[in-house]
Amino acid sequence: MERKPACNESPSLGSEKEPLTCRTRSECKKDGQLLRNCKPSLRLSEELNKVHPSPGERAELGPLPNKYLAVQSPEAPCNGTRNGVDESSTQTLTVIPSCRAEVQHLQAEVWERETWSKKIDFLLSVIGYAVDLGNVWRFPYICYQNGGGAFLIPYVIMAVFGGIPLFYMELALGQYHRSGCISIWRKICPLFKGIGYAICIIAFYVASYYNTIIAWALYYLMFSFRGELPWTSCHNEWNTENCTNYFHNSSVTWFNNSISPAEEFYTRLVLQIHKSKGLQELGGISWQLTLCLLFIFTVVYFSIWKGVKTSGKVVWVTATFPYIVLTLLLIRGATLPGAWRGVIFYLQPKWDKLLTTQVWVDAAAQIFFSLGPGFGVLLAFASYNKFHNNCYQDALVTSTVNCMTSFMSGFVIFTVLGYMAEMRNLEVSEVAKDTGPSLLFITYAEAIANMPASTFFAVIFFLMLITLGLDSTFAGLEGVITAVLDEFPHVWGKRRELFVFLLIAVCFLGSLSTLTFGGAYMVKLFEEYATGPAVLTVVFLEAIAVSWFYGINQFCRNVKEMLGFTPGWFWRICWVAICPLFLLFIICSFLSSPPDLRLFNYKYPNWTVVLGYSIGTSSFICVPVYMVYRLASTPGSLKERFIKSITPETATEIPMGAIHMNAV
C-alpha cells in the first residue's frame, strides 16, 4: 500500500497542473468547492473493457473501467482500512485516510443530482415534448401534399435511418454524462462547446413565438363556453360584408371573395391582422393576447420552477389528455357524413411523387422536427435518469409513439375535412388549402362549430392544443435551465426559482413582437428561419463531434457501461455516416430553395429572406466564435491547441451506490 500525504486535484486531460497539497480541510478547497481527490479517496485499477456493474453487482466492485477515480464511501473508517481489513496487501488499491464528514460534504455538494421520481415521469415528459402542435397540423398537410399513403414510405425510411438514431444518441449522451447541453461538451469535445450556447439561443427564439400560438388557443377556449360559438355567425361586430355562412343556409353561393365566419373570427378578432400593413408596420400590441400569454407563462413557471420532480407530475395531465381528446375526435369524425372522402384523400397513394426530391426532403424534415433532437431537451431529460436506465428501449418506445400519434392525427383532421367538403359540395383538395395554425384555428374550428354538441368538442379541442403546447414549452425551457445550472452551479445552483423567473420574463419580453396586430407575420418568420436551418446545422455538428472526434468506439463503450450491451453495427453506421448525410441533405435542400413566405393575402417582401437568415445565423454563430476563442486562449502551438481542444477536459461523474466515480 502506498501512502499519499498530499491532497491531489484530479488533473484534466492535457492539463499541466501540478498536484496541490493541503493539510487541513480549508486548504482542500478551490473556488469554494472541495477538490476532487481531497484525501477521501482510494484509487482503483484500470480495466478498459469491463462492463459497468449492474446494481446487483455493486457490492463486489473489483477493478473498474475507463480509469475511474472512486471516492470512498462514508461508511469506510478513517484509518485507511475498509471493514476492518488492512488493504496493504492489495496492489491494485492505493488507500488514503479520509473523514466521513468530508466525504459526505463532497457527495452532497458535488455529486448529487436530481432524478425522476418514477420512470413513467421521464417517458411522459419525452413523449409530451416530442408530440406537439406540429404533429396535429404539419404531418397531415405534408402527408397529403406529398403523395398521401405513398409518403409513408420515405417517412418511415427517414425515421429508421435518421430520426431514431439521433434520438437514441442524445438520450444516451445525456444519461451517461449527466450534464446539460453546454457543460456536456467539456466531457466530449470542448472545441464544440459553442453548440450548447447556440441551442440556448434557439430555445429562446422558439419560446418567443411558440407560446403565442398557445395564447391564441387560450383565447379561443375562453369564447368556447357559449351556447353558440361566435365563429359560426356573420352578425358580430368584427364581421364584414364578405362574410358568408354556408352551414346554416344551403342555398348560399360561395364566391371567390367569400370569407367564412371562422376565418374572420381568427383574422379580425383574435389576430386583428387587418390593422397591420405587414412586417414594415406591425401595429400596436393586442392587450387580450398579452394577458393570455402572461397566463400561459405563469402556468409554465409554477410547473417547472422546482425541477423535474414537479414538471414530471404535471405531464401526467398534459401528456395524456391529448390522447383522450384525439380518440374522442377520431370517433366523432368517423361518424360524420363525408368522412370517408377525407380518409381516401389522406391515404390514396400517388406513387409518382416518390420520384421527386422534395418528397424525401419533406419526409426527412418532418421526422427530424417531430422527434426534436438538437434542442437540448433530450440531453437535459436523460441527465436526470438513473445510470442504468434502458435509454435504448426508451428511444424506441417514444419514437414509435410519436410517429403513430402523427399518423392518427391525420385521420382526426381529414375525417373532418371530408365532412366539410361534403357540406360545401366541393372537393377535399379545395377545403384543405389552409396550412399551419390556420388548419386548426379556421378549418377545424369551423367544422367543430357545426357539429352536434359543438361547445363540448370546442372546449376539449382547444384544451388539447394548450396541453400539447405546454408540454413542449416545459421541455424547451428545461433544456436551457439544465444547461445554465450545470454550467454555472456556483451562481445559480441554489437559485433555480430565481433563474426560471428571469428566463420566463426574458421570453415574455421577446414575445412582444408576436403579440402585435401583425404578430402572425412574425410567428411565420420565426417558425421558418429562426429554428429550421440553425438547429439542423447544430445537430449536424453534434453528430460529427460525437462520432468522429469523441469517437464512435468510446461512445459505444459508454453505452455498454450503462446498458450492458454494445450498440450493433446498424447504429454505428447510422451515427458515423447516415445521420450526418441525412442532416446535410436537409440543410442543402433548405439553402438551395429558401421558403417563399405567404400568409393569407400577404406576400413577404424579398428583404425578409435576409432578415430570416440573419436571425438563424445569430444563434449558429456561437459555434465558430467559440472555436476561435478556444483555440486562441489555449497555450501551445496550433497543433497542440487543436489536440487539447478536442480532448475531454472534465471527468464524467458516475454514481455507483455509495461510491462516485470519474470516467476520465
Side-chain angles (χ1 to χ4, degrees):
M1 182 176 68
E2 176 191 355
R3 291 281 181 180
K4 294 197 175 182
C7 167
N8 300 333
E9 178 184 15
S10 300
S12 304
L13 282 179
S15 171
E16 299 178 357
K17 291 183 179 179
E18 294 296 330
L20 301 176
T21 60
C22 61
R23 291 174 296 279
T24 64
R25 175 185 175 88
S26 60
E27 294 179 2
C28 289
K29 293 185 178 181
K30 184 177 182 181
D31 297 330
Q33 294 293 314
L34 283 174
L35 298 179
R36 181 169 300 148
N37 191 17
C38 183
K39 288 191 178 181
S41 65
L42 61 93
R43 299 197 179 205
L44 297 138
S45 65
E46 162 187 342
E47 180 177 321
L48 293 175
N49 297 320
K50 182 174 176 61
V51 179
H52 189 82
S54 65
E57 298 170 330
R58 290 175 183 168
E60 301 178 1
L61 292 175
L64 300 173
N66 288 348
K67 300 181 181 178
Y68 286 128
L69 181 66
V71 178
Q72 187 177 359
S73 169
E75 286 75 16
C78 294
N79 59 2
T81 63
R82 296 186 63 202
N83 299 326
V85 179
D86 186 1
E87 302 285 0
S88 60
S89 61
T90 306
Q91 298 179 355
T92 59
L93 298 178
T94 301
V95 181
I96 303 171
S98 64
C99 291
R100 183 178 304 171
E102 286 196 4
V103 178
Q104 289 175 338
H105 178 78
L106 178 81
Q107 290 178 326
E109 291 192 2
V110 180
W111 302 115
E112 286 186 3
R113 184 178 183 85
E114 185 181 18
T115 57
W116 298 97
S117 299
K118 298 178 181 178
K119 172 68 174 287
I120 191 65
D121 294 352
F122 166 71
L123 290 176
L124 288 176
S125 296
V126 174
I127 291 172
Y129 160 67
V131 178
D132 65 352
L133 294 171
N135 291 74
V136 179
W137 80 55
R138 189 181 293 118
F139 177 83
Y141 173 77
I142 289 180
C143 185
Y144 87 76
Q145 188 184 45
N146 289 285
F151 176 76
L152 298 178
I153 295 176
Y155 180 76
V156 171
I157 291 175
M158 291 299 180
V160 171
F161 291 97
I164 297 177
L166 288 170
F167 195 88
Y168 177 23
M169 182 184 75
E170 284 212 352
L171 288 182
L173 283 173
Q175 182 171 306
Y176 184 84
H177 296 287
R178 303 172 69 80
S179 299
C181 62
I182 298 177
S183 56
I184 194 173
W185 292 103
R186 295 203 301 265
K187 306 174 183 181
I188 297 176
C189 186
L191 187 64
F192 289 88
K193 190 176 179 180
I195 288 177
Y197 294 106
I199 288 173
C200 291
I201 296 175
I202 292 171
F204 166 72
Y205 288 147
V206 173
S208 296
Y209 79 85
Y210 190 79
N211 292 284
T212 300
I213 300 176
I214 307 176
W216 297 346
L218 179 60
Y219 197 42
Y220 266 85
L221 179 64
M222 291 188 298
F223 279 90
S224 298
F225 293 97
R226 298 187 179 185
E228 182 181 358
L229 298 175
W231 54 88
T232 60
S233 169
C234 289
H235 304 296
N236 303 292
E237 59 181 12
W238 58 81
N239 293 126
T240 66
E241 58 184 12
N242 292 325
C243 182
T244 305
N245 191 348
Y246 55 88
F247 273 95
H248 292 169
N249 189 350
S250 58
S251 62
V252 170
T253 303
W254 188 265
F255 299 100
N256 291 332
N257 62 343
S258 297
I259 303 176
S260 68
E263 182 175 348
E264 289 202 341
F265 179 85
Y266 178 55
T267 58
R268 298 183 65 84
L269 180 65
V270 179
L271 302 181
Q272 301 182 63
I273 204 168
H274 61 287
K275 298 180 180 179
S276 170
K277 296 181 180 179
L279 286 176
Q280 66 276 13
E281 189 176 335
L282 293 175
I285 293 178
S286 169
W287 65 267
Q288 298 95 330
L289 291 180
T290 302
L291 291 178
C292 289
L293 186 63
L294 184 62
F295 177 79
I296 293 295
F297 273 126
T298 302
V299 172
V300 171
Y301 175 74
F302 287 107
S303 298
I304 66 175
W305 69 324
K306 291 294 186 182
V308 296
K309 289 191 182 297
T310 55
S311 63
K313 298 298 180 289
V314 176
V315 295
W316 279 78
V317 176
T318 57
T320 57
F321 181 73
Y323 288 96
I324 298 174
V325 177
L326 283 174
T327 303
L328 291 176
L329 292 176
L330 178 60
I331 295 172
R332 183 68 188 100
T335 61
L336 294 172
W340 61 273
R341 295 176 58 187
V343 173
I344 291 175
F345 184 79
Y346 173 46
L347 294 179
Q348 186 174 18
K350 304 178 183 64
W351 301 109
D352 58 307
K353 288 276 191 178
L354 297 179
L355 302 177
T356 62
T357 305
Q358 189 59 39
V359 171
W360 294 85
V361 173
D362 287 346
Q366 173 59 29
I367 191 63
F368 174 82
F369 289 112
S370 179
L371 293 177
F375 289 92
V377 174
L378 301 177
L379 291 174
F381 280 170
S383 73
Y384 299 112
N385 277 335
K386 290 178 171 55
F387 185 75
H388 291 286
N389 174 65
N390 193 340
C391 58
Y392 170 70
Q393 185 182 69
D394 296 342
L396 296 181
V397 170
T398 53
S399 299
T400 302
V401 170
N402 177 270
C403 296
M404 294 304 296
T405 304
S406 297
F407 188 60
M408 175 184 178
S409 298
F411 287 98
V412 173
I413 296 295
F414 276 92
T415 52
V416 172
L417 292 181
Y419 164 65
M420 291 190 65
E422 184 83 5
M423 298 298 294
R424 287 191 186 183
N425 293 319
L426 297 173
E427 295 295 324
V428 179
S429 59
E430 294 296 318
V431 177
K433 287 182 177 180
D434 291 324
T435 62
S438 298
L439 182 63
L440 303 179
F441 293 113
I442 297 178
T443 308
Y444 206 89
E446 183 177 12
I448 286 178
N450 291 278
M451 294 179 185
S454 59
T455 298
F456 169 74
F457 284 107
V459 169
I460 64 170
F461 175 71
F462 291 113
L463 272 176
M464 179 192 72
L465 296 185
I466 293 170
T467 54
L468 282 172
L470 284 176
D471 282 337
S472 299
T473 297
F474 297 160
L477 294 180
E478 186 59 52
V480 178
I481 295 165
T482 300
V484 175
L485 266 58
D486 285 349
E487 180 66 11
F488 307 103
H490 308 310
V491 180
W492 298 111
K494 302 295 184 181
R495 303 181 180 92
R496 178 187 170 97
E497 293 88 348
L498 175 60
F499 177 74
V500 173
F501 176 80
L502 294 176
L503 175 63
I504 288 182
V506 170
C507 292
F508 178 77
L509 294 176
S511 304
L512 291 180
S513 64
T514 64
L515 298 174
T516 59
F517 299 141
Y521 301 134
M522 291 298 300
V523 169
K524 183 76 170 177
L525 183 69
F526 275 121
E527 184 182 9
E528 294 291 341
Y529 284 103
T531 57
V535 77
L536 286 168
T537 308
V538 160
V539 182
F540 171 73
L541 293 176
E542 179 183 311
I544 295 294
V546 173
S547 300
W548 298 3
F549 288 86
Y550 184 65
I552 192 63
N553 291 330
Q554 178 61 42
F555 176 62
C556 290
R557 280 197 296 269
N558 296 160
V559 175
K560 185 177 182 180
E561 288 160 18
M562 292 188 296
L563 308 184
F565 59 86
T566 304
W569 61 267
F570 168 78
W571 299 106
R572 291 172 179 254
I573 293 175
C574 285
W575 288 326
V576 171
I578 297 179
C579 287
L581 291 175
F582 163 82
L583 293 164
L584 191 62
F585 173 61
I586 309 176
I587 294 169
C588 293
S589 300
F590 184 91
L591 295 177
S592 62
S593 55
D596 182 25
L597 297 186
R598 291 177 177 272
L599 185 63
F600 305 119
N601 296 323
Y602 177 73
K603 185 180 185 305
Y604 284 65
N606 295 330
W607 56 265
T608 56
V609 176
V610 178
L611 176 62
Y613 279 125
S614 299
I615 295 173
T617 306
S618 66
S619 58
F620 171 71
I621 198 68
C622 294
V623 180
V625 167
Y626 186 84
M627 287 181 174
V628 172
Y629 163 76
R630 179 80 190 189
L631 293 173
S633 61
T634 304
S637 65
L638 183 60
K639 180 180 179 180
E640 291 172 339
R641 294 179 184 186
F642 181 74
I643 292 175
K644 289 180 181 179
S645 297
I646 63 174
T647 303
E649 64 181 21
T650 303
T652 296
E653 301 148 8
I654 302 173
M656 282 190 61
I659 293 182
H660 289 72
M661 299 178 302
N662 296 334
V664 185

